[in-house]
Amino acid sequence: MVDSLVKVSTCALCGSDQFRDEMRSDDWTLKKCESCGLVFTSPRLSDRALAEYYRDSYYEQGRASYQDLQLAGPTFGDRELALRLLRRSGRIGSTPVRSLDVGCGGGALVEAFSEAGFEARGIEPSQAMAEAAAALGRNISATALEDVPVASVEVVTCIHVLEHVIDPLSFAKNLTRCLVPGGLLAVEVPDYGSKAARRAGRDWKALYPTVHLHQFEQSTLTDLLRRCGLKVSHTRRLGGSAGGTGSGAKTKAPIQSGLTITAVAARKVPPRSLIWPLRKLAHGWPGLRAWCRNFYWNTLGNGEYLQVVAMKDDVNQ
């Protein structure tokens, strides 16, 4: 595995070569750019090692249940995101509104967008997963992002993907390229600046330094999107110890133990508070459920994931 490691020499966001150690374990090190604040793994797995892993092992990991989770139906969060973006995209003027989910996994979000009225499709680098999702009737293919036509969709979603890519700035520019002028890009990543991340440190359950090559927080994610010519219109925190990601995206790549492909030990469940019995009641009322989630994740600041919606400038081709 050591032969598969490469040292990062320049920041993927700003190009600086001035870093400091941010966090260390026996097996991995996180660096922080002194210029823009982006945090990243260095040394990291090589391009070839990563490509082979995502192609051959990413959805397997010795657990059929993980594949089943990826192929499960849309969640409440999936449908909520679809409806929010449908309302926001209405002024673009295309009917039906076309959407593209990049790195869609089993395609639950694609299904939710289709249900909401989008002309929805998804692309997924794993041929096996794309075929399994397509067998469920979801409009999924193993098309490369580079092969998606310019200005071909009104909405692009990229849920828990950006932290995995080697060059997030180039990747985000490619996402932007797919959008029509005035189109919307929704990105979701683990929030390295969250209370949970700061409190847990090396034990944060969303860290995964092996394949989460970059650790974003609000400042670095919005900076990246602005460098792509996008105007950030909405930011919110989602998910927490009481529930999964706000978009309903299935947690990816349970790889935590340094730069070796191993599973994460099951995390300890925190003690349930006296308010826990009300959770079941809230789940039965969609409006109340959404309000409670927003209050817990944003007002109280307990969200562990960051979701940003940005718009492509009308004149930005």
Side-chain angles (χ1 to χ4, degrees), residues 103-115:
C104 64
L109 193 59
V110 175
E111 183 176 327
F113 272 59
S114 181
E115 290 174 352

Side-chain angles (χ1 to χ4, degrees), residues 222-235:
T222 55
D223 183 15
L224 180 146
L225 296 177
R226 288 173 181 137
R227 289 172 186 259
C228 297
L230 296 165
K231 181 179 180 181
V232 174
S233 61
H234 185 72
T235 301

Side-chain angles (χ1 to χ4, degrees), residues 40-303:
F40 53 91
T41 302
S42 180
R44 61 164 175 80
L45 290 175
S46 68
D47 299 18
R48 180 177 179 179
L50 287 166
E52 290 176 351
Y53 172 66
Y54 287 121
R55 185 188 66 237
D56 301 331
S57 307
Y58 183 54
Y59 289 106
E60 296 176 1
Q61 305 192 39
R63 298 185 297 126
S65 60
Y66 183 62
Q67 299 176 55
D68 294 340
L69 180 63
Q70 287 290 321
L71 293 168
T75 66
F76 174 87
D78 290 329
R79 294 187 170 100
E80 181 187 40
L81 178 61
L83 291 174
R84 284 197 303 112
L85 290 178
L86 185 64
R87 288 193 297 268
R88 289 176 179 233
S89 63
R91 60 181 176 275
I92 298 174
S94 172
T95 304
V97 181
R98 298 163 296 180
S99 69
L100 175 68
D101 188 23
V102 178
C104 64
L109 193 59
V110 175
E111 183 176 327
F113 272 59
S114 181
E115 290 174 352
F118 283 89
E119 184 180 297
R121 64 176 293 216
I123 58 175
E124 165 57 42
S126 168
Q127 181 72 41
M129 180 56 69
E131 291 175 357
L136 296 176
R138 296 167 180 171
N139 187 13
I140 310 298
S141 69
T143 306
L145 178 58
E146 292 77 11
D147 294 331
V148 176
V150 175
S152 58
V153 294
E154 284 72 41
V155 174
V156 171
T157 51
C158 185
I159 308 300
H160 291 273
V161 173
L162 199 60
E163 65 271 26
H164 292 259
V165 302
I166 294 168
D167 188 345
L169 181 58
S170 293
F171 189 84
K173 287 180 178 178
N174 212 358
L175 295 173
T176 305
R177 179 190 62 82
C178 301
L179 287 169
V180 301
L184 300 174
L185 172 63
V187 175
E188 186 176 318
V189 296
D191 184 6
Y192 185 73
S194 65
K195 286 182 179 179
R198 298 305 186 196
R199 184 167 54 243
R202 294 183 302 178
D203 297 323
W204 184 41
K205 64 185 178 65
L207 194 61
Y208 303 139
T210 306
V211 290
H212 286 188
L213 306 181
H214 299 90
Q215 307 290 337
F216 291 99
E217 48 193 303
Q218 184 170 336
S219 61
T220 49
L221 182 57
T222 55
D223 183 15
L224 180 146
L225 296 177
R226 288 173 181 137
R227 289 172 186 259
C228 297
L230 296 165
K231 181 179 180 181
V232 174
S233 61
H234 185 72
T235 301
R236 64 174 184 167
R237 286 184 170 84
L238 306 164
S241 58
T245 65
S247 69
K250 282 55 178 184
T251 302
K252 299 185 176 182
I255 303 165
Q256 185 80 20
S257 179
L259 295 176
T260 55
I261 308 301
T262 56
V264 183
R267 66 185 178 90
K268 295 181 179 179
V269 178
R272 295 178 175 180
S273 66
L274 295 178
I275 202 171
W276 187 263
L278 298 177
R279 183 174 182 265
K280 185 175 181 180
L281 175 63
H283 278 200
W285 297 82
L288 178 60
R289 182 179 183 180
W291 184 89
C292 290
R293 280 182 160 190
N294 182 67
F295 181 78
Y296 183 77
W297 292 337
N298 285 287
T299 305
L300 298 182
N302 292 311

